Amino acid sequence: MGTTQRLVELGVLDWAIVALYFVAIIGIGLYLKAFTKTGDDFFLAGRRNSSWVAGLAFLSANLGALEILGWTGGTMKYGMFVSHFYWVGAIPAMLFLGLYMMPFYYSSKIHSVPGYLKLRFDERTRLLNAFAFAIMTLLMSGINLYLMALVFNVLLGWDWHVSMWVSAAAIGCYITLGGLLSAIFTEIVQFFLIWAGLFLVSILGLVEIGGPAHLMDQLPATMTSLWATTGDPSQNAMGVTWLGLAMGLGFVLSFGYWTTDFLVVQRAFSSKDLRSARLTPITASFFKMALPFIVVVAGLVAYKLGMDPASGFHLPEDPQNPGKVWNDAALPLLIARYYPTGLVGLGITALLAGFMAGQAGNVSAFNTVWTYDIYRVIFRPKASDAHLLWVGRVTTVVGILLSVATAYVAMQFNTIMDYIQAIFSWVNAPLFATMLLGMFWKRTTSAGAFWGLLAGMLVSFAIFLGFRFGWISGDLARWLTFAENPSDMSRNLWQASWAWVVCFLVTIGISLVTPPKPDSELVGLVKGLTPAVDDGKVAWWGRPAFWAALSLAVLVALNVWFW
Amino acid sequence: MSEPREPLPIWFFVGVILLVYGGLVILGDATNLREIRLSHLHPGLWWGGGMVVFGALFTALGLWTHRQG
C-alpha cells in the first residue's frame, strides 16, 4: 500500500509550521470548551456569530483540500469550465438561500435541516432525510480521510496510518471540546491559510509565464472560454451543453447542495440574528467567486508548463489509476517549483487544514443530525439539554471512529469512490425539490413530500447504477443526457436533474390528492403564511438585497468577461 | 476568578497565526537552500512581510473588539 515516491521535501522549518497548526487548533478547542455549556453552544455555536464569521465558515465548510487539488487538476482537463462550479454553479443558489429560504429556516429556530422537514411535514420525512444525510456525511468523512492519507503519502511520504489517526484524533479532540464553535474557528483559520499558502502559487506562475494576457494567448480557445463552446457538447472537454450546465449544475446540483446541505447551512444557523443569517451566504458568495484565482489560474499555469517539455514540469502517475497522469498533483508540484523553505510548510499546512476542516465540518453536522433528528426522535424524546450535549460529544467520538473505519474500507476497495461521487445526487437534488415546494407552495402535503423525496432518491440511484453497470445505453442514454457520448460529468448533472424532476412531479401529484396541513400549523414555515422580512429600518448598505444585487452584478461581469 | 462572558473573537486567533507564520516564512526565505524557480524575487520575504502586517492588524482588531464587549 505504501510508496516511497516523494514529490515535495519538507525542511525543519516546514515541519515546525505543520506542527504549530496542530498546536493552534487543539489550543483553540481547549480555550473554547469554557464557552460550550449548553446544547445551543455545542451544536449551534451559541447563535452568536456575525455574518462575517458565519459567512467565512459557510464557505470554508465547502472549501476542502480535495476540491482545491481536484479542481486545479480538473482545470488541466476542462480549462476555464471549472469556473462554472464556483460561479454559475454556486452564486445564484447562495443568493437564493440568503434572500428567500433563510427566513423560513432561521425563524423556525430549528437545529438542523431535517428539523425543518419535521415542522413543515412530518416525522417520517425528517427521519428519511436524517438517515440519508448521516450516512452520506459519514461516508464523505471517511473518504476524505482516506484521500488525505493518500495525497500526503504520495506527496510527502507520510505513513498512511499515522496521517489518518493523527488528524482524526486532532479533529475529535477540538470538536468534542468546543463543538460547532471550534469547527467554525478552525474553518476560518483554514480560509486564511489557504489564501496565504496557495494564492502565491498563481502569482508566481503568472510571473514565470509572462502575465495573464500572455498565458491566455498561448492556450487553446477551448481552455479559455466559459460559454462560447457550449452550443455543441463535442466542442468542449466537459462534453456538456449550455442547457446541461444551466439546468444540471446551475440549478439542480447547485441549489440542491447550497440550499439544503446541512453541512454548510448549519453555519448560517449559528448567526446572531436573522439579518446576519441572511447575509451569511451572500457574504460567502463574494469569496466563492474569488477562488478560481487560486484554483483555475494555477491549473492553467500547470497546463501551459506541461505543454513545454523544457519547462521541467512533469506530472506523476496517478496512484489510483496506474498508467494515467495524476492531474491532482499539479498544485503541490507548483508549490515545490516556486516555494522556498517556510512557504512550502505553509502551503502543505494550508492543504492539511483544508482536509481537516472539511472533516470537522462533516463531523459537526453529523453529530447534530444524529443527536437531534435520530437519537432524540427514536430513543429519548424527552432528553434534557445536558443529556443531548453529552450525546453530541459521544457522537463526535463515535463519528470520528466510523470515519476512520470507512477510510480503511476505502483503502481496500477503491471502487467505493465511484459511488461516493454520485451520492450528492441521491440526497441533495431531490431534497431541493421537497424544500422548494414545502417553502413556497402551501398545498404541499406530508404524504407528497415523503413519497416524492423517496421516489427522487430511488430514481437517482437507479440512473447511477444503470450507467455504472451498462443497463442504460444507446437511445435511453441519449434521451437521458441529450448527448451522443455523455461524459461522467454530463451523466452526473443529468442524473441530478432527473432526480429533481421526479421528486418535484411526484410531490405535486400526491399533494393534489392528499389533505394538506391547516394554515395555522404552517405559519413561519411557508411563504404567504409568514410575515415578510422588513429591512426598512436598515440602511441600504446593510440590507441583504443590496449585497445580493452587487454579488449578482459581479457574477454577470465575470461571465461576460470570460465568455 | 470569574470566566469571561464572550470568547476572544476569531480575528485575534487568525492574527496571531498569520503573525507567527509570517515571521517563519521570512526566516525560511532568508535561510532557503531549496532550488526553486524565481528565487531571485525572494517571494518568502515580501509575502511573509505581508502576512506579518495583516497578522498584526487582525490581532489588534481582535483585541479591540473584545475590549469593546
Side-chain angles (χ1 to χ4, degrees):
Chain A
M1 201 72 209
T3 170
T4 54
Q5 185 184 17
R6 287 184 191 189
L7 301 179
V8 183
E9 292 288 343
L10 296 188
V12 175
L13 203 61
D14 301 313
W15 276 109
I17 288 176
V18 173
L20 268 176
Y21 173 71
F22 281 92
V23 172
I25 58 170
I26 292 175
I28 288 173
L30 283 168
Y31 173 73
L32 293 177
K33 184 175 186 297
F35 303 93
T36 310
K37 293 190 167 72
T38 67
D40 261 11
D41 290 337
F42 188 82
F43 297 108
L44 289 174
R47 293 191 203 258
R48 57 159 72 93
N49 289 322
S50 68
S51 58
W52 280 101
V53 172
L56 290 183
F58 181 92
L59 177 65
S60 301
N62 161 263
L63 183 62
L66 282 181
E67 175 182 304
I68 294 173
L69 292 175
W71 283 129
T72 302
T75 302
M76 298 186 72
K77 191 174 173 187
Y78 301 123
M80 280 205 64
F81 261 53
V82 165
S83 302
H84 285 305
F85 287 83
Y86 293 89
W87 295 347
V88 77
I91 306 306
M94 293 163 83
L95 302 183
F96 185 80
L97 170 67
L99 290 179
Y100 300 109
M101 293 176 74
M102 195 55 72
F104 304 118
Y105 276 142
Y106 192 86
S107 302
S108 51
K109 294 293 175 194
I110 46 175
H111 286 85
S112 64
V113 168
Y116 176 84
L117 294 173
K118 160 71 174 74
L119 294 179
R120 175 63 183 87
F121 301 116
D122 54 16
E123 205 68 270
R124 60 181 171 168
T125 312
R126 184 220 305 242
L127 280 172
L128 176 63
N129 178 243
F131 273 110
F133 179 81
I135 292 168
M136 174 180 81
T137 308
L138 275 183
L139 285 173
M140 292 304 297
S141 180
I143 297 302
N144 188 64
L145 202 56
Y146 158 71
L147 288 174
M148 184 197 74
L150 171 75
V151 167
F152 287 121
N153 178 261
V154 176
L155 295 180
L156 302 158
W158 291 359
D159 183 80
W160 285 80
H161 308 284
V162 173
S163 288
M164 287 201 290
W165 282 105
V166 168
S167 60
I171 295 161
C173 189
Y174 72 76
I175 299 287
T176 306
L177 290 166
L180 181 62
L181 193 57
S182 270
I184 286 177
F185 269 45
T186 49
E187 281 161 3
I188 292 177
V189 168
Q190 167 227 0
F191 174 83
F192 282 92
L193 285 179
I194 280 175
W195 278 97
L198 302 178
F199 186 40
L200 186 59
V201 166
S202 299
I203 296 173
L204 293 172
L206 288 174
V207 170
E208 184 185 7
I209 284 173
H214 195 65
L215 172 66
M216 298 298 257
D217 286 346
Q218 297 201 345
L219 294 174
T222 51
M223 297 290 289
T224 57
S225 64
L226 284 177
W227 295 99
T229 57
T230 56
D232 178 353
S234 66
Q235 296 301 307
N236 61 74
M238 207 172 267
V240 292
T241 62
W242 62 270
L243 182 63
L245 278 175
M247 175 70 183
L249 176 63
F251 183 60
V252 176
L253 271 185
S254 164
F255 278 69
Y257 175 73
W258 289 102
T259 67
T260 69
D261 194 300
F262 183 54
L263 173 62
V264 287
V265 176
Q266 185 181 24
R267 274 69 193 152
F269 290 1
S270 76
S271 300
K272 61 186 176 187
D273 54 35
L274 176 57
R275 192 174 71 87
S276 300
R278 296 180 71 206
L279 278 169
T280 292
I282 297 170
T283 304
S285 71
F286 289 95
F287 296 102
K288 182 75 178 172
M289 281 189 280
L291 285 171
F293 293 99
I294 294 179
V295 174
V296 176
V297 172
L300 293 177
V301 166
Y303 182 83
K304 171 67 181 67
L305 292 172
M307 288 166 62
D308 177 8
S311 69
F313 185 84
H314 304 293
L315 291 167
E317 186 181 68
D318 188 338
Q320 291 183 296
N321 295 294
K324 290 187 176 177
V325 168
W326 193 28
N327 287 339
D328 291 3
L331 188 60
L333 283 182
L334 290 174
I335 288 176
R337 182 181 183 89
Y338 297 124
Y339 277 9
T341 305
L343 268 175
V344 170
L346 186 64
I348 295 301
T349 303
L351 292 176
L352 187 63
F355 276 113
M356 290 178 58
Q359 186 80 355
N362 279 310
V363 171
S364 57
F366 170 77
N367 68 25
T368 306
V369 167
W370 172 265
T371 304
Y372 278 95
D373 299 302
I374 297 175
Y375 176 82
R376 191 173 66 163
V377 171
I378 296 176
F379 302 107
R380 292 285 291 272
K382 294 180 180 172
S384 67
D385 187 67
H387 180 74
L388 293 177
L389 176 60
W390 177 80
V391 171
R393 288 197 156 116
V394 171
T395 305
T396 301
V397 176
V398 173
I400 287 278
L401 292 174
L402 288 173
S403 297
V404 174
T406 307
Y408 277 106
V409 172
M411 198 187 278
Q412 300 301 319
F413 304 101
N414 275 356
T415 49
I416 195 173
M417 305 291 300
D418 299 340
Y419 292 88
I420 299 306
Q421 285 169 5
I423 202 166
F424 280 116
S425 300
W426 305 346
V427 179
N428 288 336
L431 180 61
F432 172 54
T434 308
M435 287 294 188
L436 199 62
L437 288 167
M439 288 180 175
F440 296 97
W441 189 44
K442 71 173 185 177
R443 185 67 182 74
T444 312
T445 66
S446 303
F450 177 77
W451 292 110
L453 188 58
L454 190 60
M457 291 169 73
L458 290 175
V459 163
S460 177
F461 193 60
I463 293 177
F464 171 74
L465 291 179
F467 276 120
R468 170 138 181 91
F469 295 108
W471 306 330
I472 296 177
S473 59
D475 285 345
L476 182 55
R478 205 162 31 249
W479 185 78
L480 285 172
T481 62
F482 301 95
E484 288 294 328
N485 296 300
S487 64
D488 288 347
M489 186 69 72
S490 180
R491 289 175 188 175
N492 280 341
L493 296 180
W494 284 108
Q495 176 191 330
S497 301
W498 286 116
W500 183 88
V501 168
V502 167
C503 178
F504 191 77
L505 294 178
V506 171
T507 303
I508 290 176
I510 294 180
S511 291
L512 289 173
V513 296
T514 48
K517 279 187 169 182
D519 287 1
S520 59
E521 292 182 23
L522 300 178
V523 175
L525 301 170
V526 184
K527 188 171 173 56
L529 298 174
T530 305
V533 179
D534 180 15
D535 285 327
K537 292 176 183 168
V538 180
W540 60 268
W541 46 267
R543 294 178 191 173
F546 166 73
W547 290 105
L550 189 61
S551 177
L552 202 57
V554 175
L555 174 70
V556 171
L558 286 169
N559 278 274
V560 171
W561 184 271
F562 295 105
W563 186 266
Chain B
M1 196 174 127
S2 63
E3 287 174 357
R5 259 182 55 238
E6 287 293 321
L8 280 160
I10 178 60
W11 314 121
F12 171 79
F13 295 99
V14 168
V16 171
I17 288 170
L18 288 180
L19 199 60
V20 173
Y21 275 178
L24 291 174
V25 166
I26 291 173
L27 181 66
D29 193 291
T31 59
N32 181 54
L33 295 174
R34 292 170 52 84
E35 284 186 27
I36 55 168
R37 307 289 171 118
L38 306 174
S39 59
H40 61 285
L41 296 177
H42 289 287
L45 290 185
W46 55 269
W47 194 257
M51 288 173 64
V52 167
V53 171
F54 274 99
L57 287 173
F58 272 97
T59 306
L61 173 73
L63 286 174
W64 181 77
T65 51
H66 189 58
R67 282 181 188 153
Q68 297 296 307

